[in-house]
């Protein structure tokens, strides 16, 4: 069952909570971060707006004022998490590097980001349980994600011109190859680690895997 729709007027501060300074942007950001934690731990169905309010020392009504419903808050959490990785990708300055070095930098970044941002991996796993229903409600996620394909495609084209990459590589396939390993080793670290008795958090294992995905990607695309 969905939570009620937000009131149209801003709520009064709760008498039981400390008053906030009037900083709507920070309030919204604080709510988003608390909501990410709640959705990661409880899933969409189990997450409670009351619990999110407690995490931020704000009110349930305030959350509805900013986001409208629990489902819309969940969508905004997806937008934030996808936005964080896409914004950082844009700062890698791949166009300033030789093609091979640019691909290696992107592969290393993808590995490091997934390793350090378990919340991203877990909430994407949750969204797949819902068949991507809520990602479909956000054109912004598709628009942001198209940028990495453009950068990757441009880098591949440069590599072909430089004679270091073979032609005919599908950009989306390369992106999937790069992302799949980095995602899996975080999403399945507990089951994989226990079954095969390997500590995927061990620094030596991480560095070996980081090198492995770079080598695998470059081996696939080299001329």
């Amino acid at each position: 069952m969905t939570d009620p729709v937000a009131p149209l007027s801003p709520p009064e501060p709760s008498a039981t909570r400390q008053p906030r300074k009037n900083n709507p942007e920070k309030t919204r950001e604080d709510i988003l971060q608390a909501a990410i934690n709640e959705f990661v731990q409880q899933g969409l169905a189990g997450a409670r707006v009351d619990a999110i309010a407690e995490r931020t020392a704000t009110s349930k009504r305030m959350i509805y004022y900013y986001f409208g419903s629990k489902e819309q808050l969940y969508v905004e959490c997806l937008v934030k998490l996808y936005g964080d990785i896409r914004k950082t990708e844009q700062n890698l300055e791949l166009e300033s590097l030789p093609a091979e070095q640019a691909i290696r930098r992107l592969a290393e970044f993808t590995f490091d980001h997934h390793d350090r941002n378990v919340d991203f991996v877990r909430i994407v796993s949750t969204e797949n349980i819902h068949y991507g229903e809520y990602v479909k409600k956000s054109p912004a996620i598709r628009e942001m994600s198209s940028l990495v394909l453009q950068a990757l495609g441009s880098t591949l084209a440069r590599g072909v011109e430089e004679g270091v990459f073979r032609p005919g590589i599908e950009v989306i396939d390369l992106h999937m190859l790069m992302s799949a390993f980095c995602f899996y080793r975080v999403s399945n670290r507990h089951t994989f680690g226990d079954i095969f008795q390997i500590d995927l958090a061990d620094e030596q294992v991480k560095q070996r895997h980081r090198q492995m995905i770079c080598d695998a990607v470059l081996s696939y695309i080299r001329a």
Side-chain angles (χ1 to χ4, degrees):
M1 181 179 294
T2 60
D3 290 298
V5 177
L8 294 179
S9 57
E12 294 295 327
S14 171
T16 61
R17 296 182 173 91
Q18 292 297 319
R20 287 173 166 270
K21 293 181 178 179
N22 186 20
N23 188 340
E25 193 170 310
K26 185 177 186 309
T27 299
R28 191 178 188 280
E29 185 66 22
D30 289 347
I31 292 170
L32 275 175
Q33 191 55 61
I36 288 169
N37 294 336
E38 178 73 6
F39 288 129
V40 163
Q41 292 175 16
Q42 306 298 333
L44 176 58
R48 295 172 52 248
V49 176
D50 283 331
I52 296 169
E54 290 172 7
R55 289 174 183 268
T56 55
T58 186
S59 68
K60 187 174 177 179
R61 192 175 172 213
M62 178 74 78
I63 293 171
Y64 289 137
Y65 172 70
Y66 278 102
F67 296 99
S69 68
K70 184 175 82 169
E71 287 73 17
Q72 185 56 39
L73 176 56
Y74 173 73
V75 171
E76 292 299 322
C77 288
L78 289 170
V79 172
K80 173 177 170 50
L81 289 170
Y82 275 101
D84 287 346
I85 186 172
R86 299 310 172 212
K87 287 172 187 173
T88 311
E89 283 168 344
Q90 291 178 57
N91 293 329
L92 294 177
E93 299 182 348
L94 301 181
E95 67 283 353
S96 68
L97 299 171
E100 277 204 21
Q101 191 176 341
I103 292 293
R104 182 175 291 277
R105 175 175 286 187
L106 183 58
E108 289 174 344
F109 164 75
T110 303
F111 184 95
D112 293 342
H113 182 275
H114 284 70
D115 184 69
R116 295 168 183 164
N117 292 273
V118 178
D119 285 356
F120 173 76
V121 173
R122 291 185 66 180
I123 206 165
V124 170
S125 297
T126 296
E127 179 59 7
N128 276 281
I129 292 173
H130 293 279
Y131 303 99
E133 175 184 354
Y134 296 93
V135 161
K136 294 171 186 173
K137 296 181 179 181
S138 176
I141 293 176
R142 288 192 295 276
E143 291 168 7
M144 289 187 294
S145 298
S146 69
L147 297 176
V148 68
L149 296 185
Q150 292 173 19
L152 195 51
S154 175
T155 304
L156 281 175
R158 283 197 293 115
V160 171
E161 291 176 2
E162 294 169 12
V164 295
F165 297 157
R166 63 185 175 88
I169 302 294
E170 290 288 342
V171 177
I172 189 66
D173 293 347
L174 182 58
H175 178 63
M176 178 178 279
L177 172 63
M178 202 178 296
S179 299
F181 176 76
C182 300
F183 190 94
Y184 180 90
R185 71 179 305 282
V186 178
S187 67
N188 289 50
R189 64 171 48 170
H190 300 293
T191 51
F192 192 93
D194 185 71
I195 291 167
F196 296 105
Q197 290 296 287
I198 181 172
D199 181 7
L200 294 175
D202 179 81
E203 192 60 34
Q204 288 187 333
V205 173
K206 281 198 293 187
Q207 291 307 314
R208 185 175 80 236
H209 286 173
R210 192 175 188 262
Q211 183 66 45
M212 185 180 82
I213 187 59
C214 291
D215 292 347
V217 166
L218 288 169
S219 295
Y220 174 64
I221 63 178
R222 278 187 177 127

